[in-house]
C-alpha cells in the first residue's frame, strides 16, 4: 500500500476542507472496499480523510414517515436497529445480508453508495425505496444518483451526510449471491408506495437500475403472476464468469416474483 | 501388561482430544510466516503477465537504486551460477516411444515464460514493502507468443506448441489393457453407455499460503530452510541433488505447523529454490511469503482431465469391459507427479470395487500454457472414481434398474480377496457389498420416493446419488523409520518423518504409544519436521497412519523390549522375570522394580534411544459408499444438499473423531468440486480469470448442515500391523460423484432423462438451470489410438 | 508517523505507526502477536479476524491508525493454552479445528456472534461464520463448537 497522510477530522466541514487541501485525497468510511483496493494498487490516494470520528454522520431516526440514516452508519447498525426493523424491515434484511459480520461491523451506507459497486446491495435498496441522498451541498434523488459503473452524481469533494428513506407500504429484498464474492449476482428490491411501485435491480448490469417493465406489470396487478409474462432484455445485462446475461435476466424476474410473493 | 486406565481412555479406539489443539486454538502455533530471522531480507517475485512470451530483456537498474533494495536476480543469473532446473517427468513414454518430455523448469524463467504467473525476477530488500515497490520498477520486455490453454485447442492441428520436443503438445502417453479384446466385448455387448466427462481444474487453497525462510549459517556453510511442506525430506533432496548440486547434509529443512496441504504442498517449488539459493548467495536470511493471488497463479493445480469413457455390459448388467480415453492437462511443465497421477495412479483404481476383466485405457498428458498440475486430495483417484461412478448410474438408467443393484451385481466378493485388478493392483481386503448395503439402509433408500414427493410439494426437485468405491493409499512408499527417546525428565519423544498438516497424526501416534507404554498421553511428544532428526517420504497419499503409525507401534514395542533388557541389568534379574505395566518394570512376585524414566536417567546418556524401521506389506484399500440427496430449485437451478450419509471401511480407527473429521472435511472439498470450484483461464489470452477468492468459489459454512458418517471397522487391512486403512482422501473421492449423480438424478426424474448425463462440473445454478431447459455443454469425443 | 493509543488485549498501549500500516501487520510484526493470520489478499477469508470494541472485524481491512481509541482483542487475549476460553474449549471438545490456520479467526467471529446473539439458531451460527473460510473441517464441527460454546457461556 502506498504511503499517505491520514486525517481525522471531527466535523463534516473539516473533512471537506481536508479533502480539498489534498493533492489526491479520498474519504475513508468503513474501508471495506477502499483498503482492499489500495492493497491491490487500484487506488493510491495522497491523503485519506477518515470520517470515523464525525458523530454528525451517524445515527438512525424515524420522523414523519421518513427513515433517516447517517452516512457513517454501519451495515450492522442498520441491520440491528429496532427502528429500521419496524419501519422498513426489508432494508434491515438487506443490510444484514451484506458481506459477512466482519464487513457489516465496519462497512457503511455512505461508503457503499459513494463507490457504487455494480454488485453492491445498497444501491438497489436506495433506488428501490426512492430515497433521497443528502450531501454536504445538496439533496439528490435516488433516480439521479446512480449514473454508471462506479460512477455517481457526486461532485468531487462532495460528501454524503445521510440518506432519507420514505417508509413504504410494502417492501422486500431478494438477493442471489455470487458464490465466490457473495456480492449480489442479482439483487432485487421491490417496494410499493403511494407514489408507485419500484423494482430496483443490482448486480445485473453496470449500475443499479429500475426494471420498468416489471414495475408496470406490478402496478397493473400486484402479484407474482403478473410478472410471469415480463421478459427482461438481456442485452444490457452483464455476462461474466459466474452468470450469463440471459441467466441474470431470468433471475431478475424470478427474484421479483419471490419478493412480491413474500409480502 | 498395559494399564487399563490410560490405554482404556487414551489408547487406540478412543476419540481422544487432540494434543495439537491447545497450541493451535490459542494462536500460539508456529506457521512458516510466524518465524523471523534476525537481519532477514524479504524476497518478492516478479511474475509473468503473459501466458507465453519470450523474455527479450530485463532492466533492473531503476529497481536496484530504490531504497532498501539489496539484490535482484533473473533466471540467467541462476543458470550462470550453476543452478539447474527442477526435475520434470521421468519413467513415462511419448506416443511413438521416446521418453516423456517437458520444457526445462527453471526456478526463475529463462528466455521463455510459459504460464501467467511464472516467476521471472527475484527482488530482495530490507522490508517487504521496499521489495514490492522495487518490483514495480523492474522493466521486462516480453515478446508475446501464441498461446494455448484449452486442452482440446492444444491437441488440435496447428495448435501453438508449448515445447518443441512434444509434437501435438503430448508430453506423455500411457496405454493400459487390451484394446482389441475390449473392442470385441463392446461390439457384442447388450448395453453400451458412453459419457464425455470433465474433471475440472481445481486449486487446493489451503488456508495458509506458502512461505519460506532460509537462514544460512556462515560458520558451518549450512542452510536451514523453513517451509510449509508435507515432504521436508523430498524438498531437501530435490533442492540439493537436482537444483543446487550440493551435498544433502548442507541443507536442513524444518517445518513447524502447516496450515493445510492437501497434496499441494508436496515437492519442491521453484520459489523454495529461489529463496534457498539467494540466502546462500547473499549469506543473509531470506523470507518469502506468498500472496493468495500468487497461490492461485503458481501453486500446482488439481485434476484437469477430460475423458470419453464407455462401459460395456451384458443383458444382466454384468460389466464386460471399461474403456477410458483421457486428455490430462498437466500444464506448461510436465512434472513427475502431475503425469503419474493421471497416467498411472488414477488408472490403478479405474475398475474400483467392480469385478471387471477387461480394460482399455488410453491417457495422454497434454502441455498447455497453464500452471503445472500436481497432487490434490485424491490425486488421480477422484478422477478415476468419478468416471466409473458416473458410468454406473448412466448404465443403470439405460437398463432401467436400480443404481445400487447394478453396482452390487458387479462388486468383487470377499471370497475373491486378495484380488488382482486389471492394472495389477492387489486388494487385500474388502466387503464392498456389505458397505453398500449398510449405506443404503442408512440412507433409507426405499423411502426416497416419498421424500421426492414431499420435495415436489415444496416446489423442489429431489435427486439421489450414490458412489460405491475404493481407493489406493500409501504414496507407493511403504517404509517408515521412527526414533523413540525415553528421557530422564519423564517424556517419551517419538520422531517421525511424516508431517502434520491438520490430519491429527500427532494425537493418533501418541495414542498408539499409549497402547504400548501405558503412560499418560501428556508424557508423549511427537516430533516431526526436521531433516536433521530424520528423513522419510513425508505425508501424502493418506499414508501416514498405516506406515508411520505401524512404525510407531513397532518402535514402541521394541523400545519396551530393549528397556526391559536394561531394566533387567539394573535390577540384576533375568528379563523374563520382569513385567512392564504403566511405565514401570516390576519383578514378578515382588515389590521390586524400576520406573521407565528412572531407568532412562540411569543410562550413560540419561536417555533410552531406539531407532526402528517398519515396512508394511503394501497399500491399504479404504472403501466406502456415499449417498447424497439434493433438492434443486427449478427456477434458479440452485442445488441444496439435504442429506448426506456414508459408510466407510477404514479398517480400524485409532481415533474415530479424527477419522470422521477427515471424511467430512474431505467430503466438503469433494462437494466444492461438484458444485462451485473451478480454475478458469481465458481461452485466447491465457489470463487466469479465477485469481482471487472473489472468483474462485470455495464452500462456506452454509454448504451442508450435517453428515451422517459411519465407520465400519470389521475389515481390518492385512497389509499393516494396525489393520488401519488410510482415510485422508476417501471423503473427497466419494463426495464428488455422489453429489453429481444426485443432481443428474434430479434432472433425469424431472423430465430430462438420460440427457441429464451431459451435466458437467461445477454444477453452478446456471449450469443446472440450463440443463432443466435441455441445454448442455457440447464436448468433443476423445479418440486416442489404442495399443 | 502517527501516534496511536488503544487497548490491546486489555492493556493500554501507545505506538508510532505509518498511516499505511495495516492493523494485521502491526499486530503480527510490531507486537509479535502471530496468532492473527493472513490467509488472503482480498479481505475475504476471515483468518485475520479480531475484535474491535467487541465486534469482529478483519484486521487486514483496517489501518492500525483506525485502532486509535478502540479496544482490540486478538486470539491471544481470549485465552491461553493453559487457560483456554470456553469458546476455545468448545472447539477442542468438538474437533472444530484441524490445521488450525483459520481457527483464531473462527474463534473471534464466534466470540463476536455470541456476544450479540447468545442463543443462536443453526442458521444464525452459519450466518455468523459466513466470513470465515475453512478448508479442512468442512464446517460441521465448527458449527457444533459454537453450539457447545453458547451453552457453556450461558
Amino acid at each position: 500500500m502506498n504511503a499517505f497522510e491520514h486525517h481525522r477530522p471531527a466535523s463534516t466541514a473539516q473533512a471537506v476542507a481536508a479533502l480539498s487541501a489534498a493533492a489526491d485525497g479520498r474519504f475513508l468510511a468503513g474501508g471495506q472496499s477502499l483498503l482492499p483496493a489500495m492493497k491491490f494498487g487500484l487506488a493510491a490516494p495522497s491523503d485519506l480523510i477518515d470520517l470515523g470520528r464525525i458523530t454528525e454522520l451517524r445515527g438512525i431516526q424515524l420522523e414523519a414517515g421518513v427513515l433517516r440514516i447517517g452516512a457513517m452508519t454501519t451495515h450492522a447498525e442498520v441491520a440491528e436497529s429496532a427502528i429500521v426493523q419496524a419501519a422498513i424491515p426489508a432494508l434491515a434484511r438487506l443490510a444484514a445480508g451484506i458481506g459477512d459480520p466482519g464487513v457489516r461491523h465496519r462497512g457503511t451506507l455512505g461508503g457503499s453508495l459513494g463507490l457504487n459497486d455494480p454488485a453492491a446491495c445498497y444501491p438497489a435498496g436506495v433506488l428501490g425505496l426512492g430515497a433521497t441522498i443528502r450531501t454536504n451541498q445538496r439533496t439528490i434523488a435516488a433516480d439521479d444518483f446512480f449514473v454508471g459503473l462506479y460512477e455517481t452524481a457526486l461532485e468531487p469533494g462532495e460528501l454524503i451526510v445521510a440518506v432519507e428513506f420514505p417508509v413504504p407500504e410494502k417492501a422486500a429484498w431478494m438477493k442471489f449471491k455470487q458464490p465466490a464474492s457473495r456480492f449480489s449476482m442479482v439483487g432485487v428490491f421491490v417496494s410499493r408506495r403511494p407514489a408507485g411501485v419500484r423494482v430496483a435491480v443490482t448486480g445485473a448490469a453496470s449500475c443499479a437500475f429500475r426494471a420498468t417493465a416489471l414495475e408496470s406489470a406490478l402496478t397493473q396487478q400486484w402479484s407474482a403472476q403478473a410478472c410471469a409474462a415480463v421478459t427482461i432484455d438481456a442485452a444490457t445485462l452483464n455476462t461474466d464468469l459466474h452468470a450469463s446475461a440471459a441467466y441474470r435476466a431470468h433471475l431478475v424476474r424470478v427474484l421479483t416474483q419471490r419478493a412480491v410473493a413474500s409480502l | 501388561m498395559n494399564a487399563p486406565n490410560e490405554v482404556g481412555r487414551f489408547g487406540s479406539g478412543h476419540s481422544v482430544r487432540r494434543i495439537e489443539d491447545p497450541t493451535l486454538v490459542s494462536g500460539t502455533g508456529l506457521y512458516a510466516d510466524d518465524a523471523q530471522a534476525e537481519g532477514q531480507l524479504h524476497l518478492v517475485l516478479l511474475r509473468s503477465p503473459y501466458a507465453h512470451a519470450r523474455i527479450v530483456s530485463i532492466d533492473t537498474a531503476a529497481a536496484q537504486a530504490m531504497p532498501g533494495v539489496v539484490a535482484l536476480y533473473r533466471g540467467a543469473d541462476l543458470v550462470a551460477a550453476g543452478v539447474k532446473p527442477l526435475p520434470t517427468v521421468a519413467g513415462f513414454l511419448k506416443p511413438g516411444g521416446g521418453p516423456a518430455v517437458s520444457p526445462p523448469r527453471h526456478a526463475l524463467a529463462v528466455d521463455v515464460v510459459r504460464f501467467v504467473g511464472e516467476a521471472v525476477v527475484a527482488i530482495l530488500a530490507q522490508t517487504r514493502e521496499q521489495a514490492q515497490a522495487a518490483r514495480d520498477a523492474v522493466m521486462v520486455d516480453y515478446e508475446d507468443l501464441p498461446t494455448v490453454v484449452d486442452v482440446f485447442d492444444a491437441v488440435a492441428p496447428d495448435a501453438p506448441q508449448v515445447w518443441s520436443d512434444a509434437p501435438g503438445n503430448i508430453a506423455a502417453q500411457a496405454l493400459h489393457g487390451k484394446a482389441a479384446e475390449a473392442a470385441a466385448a463392446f461390439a457384442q455387448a447388450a448395453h453400451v453407455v458412453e459419457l464425455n466427462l470433465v474433471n475440472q481444474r481445481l486449486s487446493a487453497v489451503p488456508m495458509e499460503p506458502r512461505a519460506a525462510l532460509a537462514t544460512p549459517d556462515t560458520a558451518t556453510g549450512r542452510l536451514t530452510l523453513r517451509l510449509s511442506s508435507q515432504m521436508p525430506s523430498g524438498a531437501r533432496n530435490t533442492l540439493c541433488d537436482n537444483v543446487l548440486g550440493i551435498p544433502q547434509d548442507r541443507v536442513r529443512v524444518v517445518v513447524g505447523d502447516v496450515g493445510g496441504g492437501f497434496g499441494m504442498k508436496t515437492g519442491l517449488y521453484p520459489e523454495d529454490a529461489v529463496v534457498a539459493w539467494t540466502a546462500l548467495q547473499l549469506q543473509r536470511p531470506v523470507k518469502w511469503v506468498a500472496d493468495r493471488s500468487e497461490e492461485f497463479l503458481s501453486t500446482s493445480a488439481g485434476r484437469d482431465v477430460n475423458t470419453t469413457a464407455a462401459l460395456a455390459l451384458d443383458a444382466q448388467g454384468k460389466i464386460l469391459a471399461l474403456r477410458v480415453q483421457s486428455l490430462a492437462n498437466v500444464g506448461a511443465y510436465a512434472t513427475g507427479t502431475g503425469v503419474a497421477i493421471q497416467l498411472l495412479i488414477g488408472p490403478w483404481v479405474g475398475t474400483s470395487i467392480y469385478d471387471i476383466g477387461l480394460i482399455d485405457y488410453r491417457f495422454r498428458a497434454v502441455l498447455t500454457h497453464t500452471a503445472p498440475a500436481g497432487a490434490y486430495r485424491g490425486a488421480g483417484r477422484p478422477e478415476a472414481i468419478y468416471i466409473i461412478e458416473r458410468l454406473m448410474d448412466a448404465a443403470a438408467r439405460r437398463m432401467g434398474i436400480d443404481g445400487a443393484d447394478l453396482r452390487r451385481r458387479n462388486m468383487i466378493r470377499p471370497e475373491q480377496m486378495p484380488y488382482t485388478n486389471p492394472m495389477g493392483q492387489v486388494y487385500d481386503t474388502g466387503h464392498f457389498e456389505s458397505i453398500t448395503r449398510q449405506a443404503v439402509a442408512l440412507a433409507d433408500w426405499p423411502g426416497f420416493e416419498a421424500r421426492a414427493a414431499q420435495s415436489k410439494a415444496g416446489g423442489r426437485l429431489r435427486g439421489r446419488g450414490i458412489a460405491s468405491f475404493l481407493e489406493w493409499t500409501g504414496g507407493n512408499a511403504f517404509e517408515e523409520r521412527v526414533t523413540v527417546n525415553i528421557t530422564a525428565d519423564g517424556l517419551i519423544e517419538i520422531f517421525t518423518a511424516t508431517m502434520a498438516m491438520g490430519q491429527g497424526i500427532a494425537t493418533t501416534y501418541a495414542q498408539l504409544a499409549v497402547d504400548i507404554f501405558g503412560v499418560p498421553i501428556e508424557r508423549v511428544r511427537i516430533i516431526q519436521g526436521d531433516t536433521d532428526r530424520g528423513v522419510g517420504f513425508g505425508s501424502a497419499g493418506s499414508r501416514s497412519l498405516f506406515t508411520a503409525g505401524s512404525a510407531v507401534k513397532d518402535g514402541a514395542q521394541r523400545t519396551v523390549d530393549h528397556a526391559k533388557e536394561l531394566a533387567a541389568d539394573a535390577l540384576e534379574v533375568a528379563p523374563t522375570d520382569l513385567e512392564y505395566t504403566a511405565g514401570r518394570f516390576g519383578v514378578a512376585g515382588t515389590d521390586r522394580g524400576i520406573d521407565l524414566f528412572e531407568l532412562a536417567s540411569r543410562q550413560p546418556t540419561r536417555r533410552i534411544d531406539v531407532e526402528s524401521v517398519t515396512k508394511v506389506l503394501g497399500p491399504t484399500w479404504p472403501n466406502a459408499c456415499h449417498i447424497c440427496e439434493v433438492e434443486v430449485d427449478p427456477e434458479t437451478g440452485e442445488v441444496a444438499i439435504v442429506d448426506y450419509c456414508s459408510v466407510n471401511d477404514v479398517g480400524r480407527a485409532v481415533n474415530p473423531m479424527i477419522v470422521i473429521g477427515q471424511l467430512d472435511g474431505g467430503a466438503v472439498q469433494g462437494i466444492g468440486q461438484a458444485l462451485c470450484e473451478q480454475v478458469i483461464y481465458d481461452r485466447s489470452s491465457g489470463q487466469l480469470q479465477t485469481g482471487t477468492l472473489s472468483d474462485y468459489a470455495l464452500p462456506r459454512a452454509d454448504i451442508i448442515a450435517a453428515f451422517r458418517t459411519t465407520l465400519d471397522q470389521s475389515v481390518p487391512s492385512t497389509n499393516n500391523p494396525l489393520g488401519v486403512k488410510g482415510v485422508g482422501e476417501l471423503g473427497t473421492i466419494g463426495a464428488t460423484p455422489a453429489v453429481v449423480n444426485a443432481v443428474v438424478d434430479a434432472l433425469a426424474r424431472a423430465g430430462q432423462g438420460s440427457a441429464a448425463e451431459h451435466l458437467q462440473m461445477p454444477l453452478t445454478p446456471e449450469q443446472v438451470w440450463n440443463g432443466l431447459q435441455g441445454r448442455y455443454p457440447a464436448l468433443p469425443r476423445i479418440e486416442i489410438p489404442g495399443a | 508517523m502517527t501516534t496511536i493509543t488503544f487497548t490491546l488485549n486489555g492493556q493500554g498501549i501507545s505506538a508510532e505507526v505509518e498511516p499505511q500500516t495495516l492493523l494485521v501487520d502491526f499486530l503480527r510484526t510490531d507486537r509479535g502477536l502471530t496468532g492473527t493470520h493472513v490467509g488472503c489478499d482480498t479481505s475475504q477469508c476471515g483468518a485475520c479476524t479480531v475484535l474491535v470494541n467487541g465486534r469482529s472485524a478483519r484486521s487486514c481491512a483496517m489501518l492500525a491508525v483506525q485502532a486509535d481509541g478502540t479496544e482490540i482483542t486478538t486470539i491471544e487475549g481470549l485465552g491461553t493454552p493453559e487457560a483456554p476460553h470456553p469458546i476455545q474449549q468448545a472447539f477442542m471438545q468438538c474437533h472444530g479445528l484441524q490445521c488450525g490456520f483459520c481457527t483464531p479467526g473462527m474463534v473471534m467471529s464466534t466470540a463476536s456472534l455470541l456476544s450479540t446473539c447468545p442463543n443462536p439458531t443453526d442458521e444464525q451460527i452459519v450466518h455468523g461464520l459466513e466470513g470465515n473460510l475453512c478448508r479442512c473441517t468442512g464446517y460441521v464441527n465448527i458449527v457444533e463448537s459454537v453450539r457447545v460454546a453458547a451453552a457453556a457461556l450461558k
Side-chain angles (χ1 to χ4, degrees):
Chain A
M1 192 182 287
N2 65 298
F4 52 84
E5 290 291 323
H6 178 248
H7 306 264
R8 284 179 278 197
S11 72
T12 312
Q14 282 181 17
V16 171
L19 188 82
S20 59
D24 180 19
R26 294 281 294 262
F27 290 122
L28 175 65
Q32 299 304 285
S33 295
L34 181 56
L35 294 178
M38 288 172 68
K39 282 161 70 177
F40 258 71
L42 300 173
S46 61
D47 295 71
L48 280 188
I49 317 303
D50 190 334
L51 304 175
R53 292 247 166 104
I54 306 176
T55 48
E56 70 209 29
L57 293 178
R58 307 190 98 100
I60 300 172
Q61 299 95 31
L62 177 65
E63 197 174 345
V66 174
L67 182 66
R68 185 183 192 280
I69 302 179
M72 282 298 286
T73 310
T74 66
H75 309 320
E77 285 166 344
V78 173
E80 293 164 23
S81 160
I83 300 173
V84 179
Q85 287 173 10
I88 315 180
L91 191 63
R93 267 196 297 278
L94 179 153
I98 296 174
D100 52 60
V103 168
R104 294 194 286 275
H105 290 144
R106 310 237 5 120
T108 67
L109 173 60
S112 172
L113 295 180
L115 177 64
N116 196 19
D117 187 303
C121 302
Y122 260 131
V126 166
L127 194 57
L129 288 165
T132 304
I133 292 95
R134 284 202 177 274
T135 77
N136 62 315
Q137 297 174 8
R138 55 186 168 137
T139 61
I140 309 172
D143 287 342
D144 302 325
F145 185 82
F146 305 100
V147 169
L149 184 66
Y150 296 107
E151 206 190 327
T152 69
L154 293 172
E155 298 290 334
E158 190 172 5
L159 182 62
I160 300 173
V161 169
V163 182
E164 290 170 353
F165 300 88
V167 175
E169 290 168 20
K170 291 174 184 286
W173 162 247
M174 290 286 155
K175 176 179 180 179
F176 193 98
K177 294 183 196 175
Q178 197 263 56
S181 71
R182 304 274 166 140
F183 275 63
S184 284
M185 195 159 95
V186 175
V188 175
F189 197 101
V190 176
S191 77
R192 194 172 81 183
R193 313 178 305 149
V197 170
R198 279 174 176 257
V199 177
V201 179
T202 187
S206 57
C207 183
F209 65 92
R210 289 173 62 181
T212 50
L214 286 164
E215 290 179 353
S216 304
L218 288 170
T219 304
Q220 300 233 350
Q221 190 202 103
W222 176 262
S223 74
Q225 283 70 36
C227 304
V230 176
T231 7
I232 305 299
D233 182 11
T236 53
L237 302 189
N238 301 333
T239 288
D240 61 20
L241 277 188
H242 301 282
S244 66
Y247 182 63
R248 282 187 157 96
H250 170 73
L251 285 181
V252 169
R253 184 176 50 75
V254 170
L255 293 181
T256 304
Q257 290 177 297
R258 291 185 177 184
V260 172
S262 74
L263 292 170
Chain B
M1 176 186 106
N2 295 314
N5 282 344
E6 298 304 331
V7 175
R9 287 162 53 221
F10 297 100
S12 301
H14 300 283
S15 290
V16 171
R17 286 204 203 179
R18 298 195 333 162
I19 61 181
E20 301 88 327
D21 284 359
T23 301
L24 296 177
V25 83
S26 61
T28 54
L30 183 72
Y31 300 91
D33 185 35
D34 298 340
Q36 317 293 340
E38 185 86 32
Q40 67 191 7
L41 298 176
H42 292 261
L43 184 149
V44 302
L45 292 157
L46 174 70
R47 296 181 179 276
S48 168
Y50 290 99
H52 188 206
R54 201 169 66 78
I55 300 169
V56 176
S57 66
I58 302 177
D59 183 352
T60 59
Q64 186 81 61
M66 289 181 66
V69 173
V70 170
L72 291 100
Y73 297 105
R74 56 199 90 186
D77 299 326
L78 270 63
V79 170
V83 177
K84 301 264 180 296
L86 278 71
T88 50
V89 61
F92 288 89
L93 299 174
K94 280 191 300 192
V101 294
S102 171
R105 190 182 186 192
H106 294 277
L108 293 174
V110 173
D111 294 336
V112 180
V113 289
R114 295 189 176 88
F115 64 95
V116 171
E118 184 169 7
V120 179
V121 179
I123 301 106
L124 294 103
Q126 309 284 4
T127 72
R128 197 153 182 243
E129 293 69 36
Q130 288 169 334
Q132 289 166 332
R135 174 173 56 193
D136 291 344
V138 175
M139 318 263 281
V140 182
D141 190 18
Y142 297 97
E143 180 198 327
D144 203 1
L145 294 171
T147 289
V148 64
V149 295
D150 175 271
V151 78
F152 291 108
D153 291 346
V155 300
D158 302 322
Q161 294 299 286
V162 176
W163 181 237
S164 50
D165 269 0
N169 290 318
I170 311 294
Q173 172 173 284
L175 305 173
H176 306 285
K178 301 171 181 172
E181 289 185 38
F186 273 94
Q188 42 103 331
H191 302 283
V192 172
V193 284
E194 184 176 275
L195 294 176
N196 293 331
L197 296 170
V198 177
N199 204 299
Q200 79 274 32
R201 179 172 272 233
L202 301 178
S203 191
V205 201
M207 293 318 299
E208 182 207 13
R210 293 169 300 160
L213 172 59
T215 309
D217 182 332
T218 42
T220 63
R222 294 190 84 214
L223 183 77
T224 299
L225 180 61
R226 175 172 292 280
L227 296 175
S228 179
S229 173
Q230 300 169 228
M231 292 179 150
S233 305
R236 193 274 302 268
N237 295 350
T238 305
L239 179 68
C240 292
D241 298 348
N242 301 91
V243 180
L244 299 184
I246 60 179
Q248 286 184 1
D249 63 16
R250 262 193 78 191
V251 174
R252 174 189 185 196
V253 171
V254 295
V255 180
D257 294 305
V258 175
F262 313 119
M264 185 275 272
K265 290 179 180 173
T266 55
L268 186 79
Y269 273 98
E271 293 88 343
D272 304 330
V274 176
V275 170
W277 183 81
T278 54
L280 284 170
Q281 192 66 12
L282 297 169
Q283 285 295 300
R284 293 278 300 273
V286 172
K287 181 97 179 279
W288 167 71
V289 182
D291 292 329
R292 181 57 63 189
S293 308
E294 287 186 275
E295 296 296 83
F296 280 118
L297 283 170
S298 63
T299 54
S300 52
R303 318 279 189 262
D304 206 351
V305 54
N306 283 264
T307 300
T308 296
L311 214 51
L313 305 101
D314 71 14
Q316 285 71 48
K318 187 79 181 64
I319 299 167
L320 303 172
L322 168 66
R323 180 168 56 227
V324 180
Q325 306 189 75
S326 290
L327 297 174
N329 176 12
V330 294
Y333 301 99
T335 65
T337 308
V339 172
I341 282 168
Q342 299 304 341
L343 269 57
L344 190 62
I345 297 173
W348 278 342
V349 301
T351 53
S352 187
I353 57 175
Y354 306 115
D355 190 10
I356 301 172
L358 262 184
I359 58 170
D360 174 11
Y361 294 164
R362 312 176 195 182
F363 289 86
R364 286 187 163 171
V366 180
L367 298 174
T368 66
H369 295 117
T370 60
Y376 172 58
R377 206 161 192 174
R381 290 94 74 203
E383 295 89 314
I385 298 302
Y386 182 70
I387 290 166
I388 186 71
E389 288 304 289
R390 288 286 318 261
L391 285 171
M392 291 302 276
D393 259 22
R397 191 170 289 112
R398 174 72 49 81
M399 294 179 63
I401 65 178
D402 178 270
D405 190 24
L406 178 65
R407 285 168 170 82
R408 271 189 289 260
R409 294 183 198 186
N410 285 283
M411 285 178 191
I412 298 159
R413 298 178 311 282
E415 316 77 91
Q416 291 176 279
M417 295 296 173
Y419 176 91
T420 304
N421 80 10
M423 287 293 290
Q425 291 295 314
V426 182
Y427 307 157
D428 63 339
T429 56
H431 288 193
F432 309 126
E433 194 275 332
S434 163
I435 298 300
T436 291
R437 187 171 18 89
Q438 293 175 61
V440 160
L442 185 62
D444 182 24
W445 193 262
F448 178 79
E449 294 300 335
R451 291 190 293 278
Q454 257 188 315
S455 296
K456 189 162 184 194
R460 295 285 183 268
L461 307 171
R462 200 177 188 95
R464 168 177 63 196
I466 182 173
S468 296
F469 64 102
L470 58 56
E471 84 115 337
W472 166 94
T473 58
N476 229 16
F478 301 113
E479 189 174 286
E480 273 301 316
R481 173 185 159 280
V482 298
T483 57
V484 182
N485 311 117
I486 315 292
T487 70
D489 52 5
L491 293 178
I492 301 174
E493 291 183 349
I494 301 177
F495 176 85
T496 105
T498 52
M499 199 62 234
M501 42 172 160
Q503 76 279 49
I505 49 179
T507 300
T508 311
Y509 297 161
Q511 288 178 254
L512 293 169
V514 166
D515 282 348
I516 305 294
F517 288 109
V519 301
I521 199 166
E522 295 76 42
R523 291 188 174 276
V524 181
R525 292 275 185 284
I526 306 296
I527 302 171
Q528 302 164 72
D530 184 349
T531 55
D532 271 6
R533 273 194 85 144
V535 294
F537 189 77
S539 287
S542 304
R543 68 182 293 274
S544 302
L545 179 56
F546 78 92
T547 59
S550 295
V552 167
K553 174 179 164 146
D554 284 353
Q557 189 57 59
R558 287 177 189 148
T559 303
V560 168
D561 294 344
H562 173 64
K564 188 179 271 191
E565 305 276 330
L566 299 174
D569 282 346
L571 296 169
E572 294 176 329
V573 296
T576 46
D577 293 337
L578 287 174
E579 285 165 356
Y580 177 80
T581 308
R584 185 174 182 276
F585 291 97
V587 181
T590 76
D591 289 339
R592 290 185 63 219
I594 185 165
D595 171 84
L596 178 66
F597 303 107
E598 165 69 21
L599 178 66
S601 75
R602 302 245 194 114
Q603 305 308 310
T605 54
R606 289 180 53 77
R607 300 152 60 92
I608 300 170
D609 295 328
V610 172
E611 202 178 287
S612 171
V613 176
T614 294
K615 189 163 186 189
V616 300
L617 295 175
T620 67
W621 301 96
N623 56 90
C625 180
H626 287 219
I627 299 175
C628 173
E629 289 186 17
V630 300
E631 276 185 339
V632 175
D633 181 334
E635 286 187 306
T636 64
E638 280 174 288
V639 174
I641 297 174
V642 292
D643 191 53
Y644 194 109
C645 69
S646 66
V647 177
N648 302 273
D649 171 2
V650 301
R652 290 267 157 77
V654 176
N655 187 318
M657 175 187 80
I658 288 177
V659 169
I660 292 174
Q662 290 303 297
L663 292 168
D664 291 353
V668 168
Q669 286 186 298
I671 294 168
Q673 170 163 26
L675 297 182
C676 50
E677 297 182 41
Q678 187 172 14
V679 172
I680 301 175
Y681 286 88
D682 179 79
R683 197 167 174 178
S684 55
S685 70
Q687 292 298 317
L688 179 64
Q689 298 190 290
T690 51
T692 71
L693 293 171
S694 289
D695 288 308
Y696 190 86
L698 287 174
R700 289 186 183 254
D702 55 1
I703 188 78
I704 188 167
F707 288 99
R708 298 188 291 129
T709 305
T710 61
L711 308 178
D712 184 321
Q713 300 187 56
S714 68
V715 192
S717 170
T718 54
N719 275 350
N720 67 82
L722 299 177
V724 303
K725 302 184 186 181
V727 299
E729 293 156 291
L730 195 65
T732 303
I733 296 167
T736 303
V739 172
V740 175
N741 277 343
V743 179
V744 170
D745 183 57
L747 266 63
R749 288 169 187 273
Q752 286 296 308
S754 60
E757 288 152 15
H758 293 291
L759 278 175
Q760 302 293 345
M761 303 190 284
L763 293 171
T764 62
E766 183 169 0
Q767 284 286 336
V768 176
W769 179 71
N770 280 337
L772 285 165
Q773 325 297 316
R775 289 191 298 271
Y776 298 96
L779 290 170
R781 188 171 179 280
I782 296 168
E783 283 261 22
I784 296 168
Chain C
M1 285 288 221
T2 308
T3 306
I4 53 175
T5 306
F6 62 100
T7 307
L8 177 59
N9 294 332
Q11 267 204 322
I13 69 160
S14 195
E16 295 264 299
V17 294
E18 299 279 7
Q20 70 270 21
T21 304
L22 295 173
L23 179 60
V24 65
D25 294 327
F26 174 78
L27 293 170
R28 287 180 58 79
T29 308
D30 290 50
R31 305 301 300 190
L33 295 169
T34 55
T36 303
H37 297 146
V38 176
C40 77
D41 50 11
T42 49
S43 302
Q44 291 171 295
C45 78
C48 68
T49 304
V50 297
L51 299 183
V52 180
N53 296 336
R55 295 286 189 121
S56 58
R58 290 187 166 81
S59 60
C60 76
M62 239 181 107
L63 301 168
V65 291
Q66 291 178 289
D68 186 63
T70 69
E71 282 184 26
I72 304 285
T73 311
T74 70
I75 187 73
E76 292 91 345
L78 204 68
T80 64
E82 300 74 31
H85 185 277
I87 294 174
Q88 291 166 313
Q89 286 178 10
F91 270 74
M92 290 193 277
Q93 177 184 326
C94 300
H95 191 31
L97 64 150
Q98 292 185 18
C99 82
F101 198 79
C102 79
T103 307
M106 284 286 181
V107 169
M108 300 318 281
S109 288
T110 301
S112 181
L113 170 70
L114 295 181
S115 73
T116 57
C117 189
N119 240 330
T121 61
D122 283 359
E123 200 187 316
Q124 286 171 318
I125 294 173
V126 165
H127 194 56
L129 296 179
E130 206 185 345
N132 292 83
L133 281 173
C134 175
R135 200 46 162 160
C136 293
T137 66
Y139 302 101
V140 285
N141 284 355
I142 293 177
V143 173
E144 177 64 9
S145 302
V146 178
R147 288 188 201 111
V148 168
L153 285 171
K154 271 208 269 263

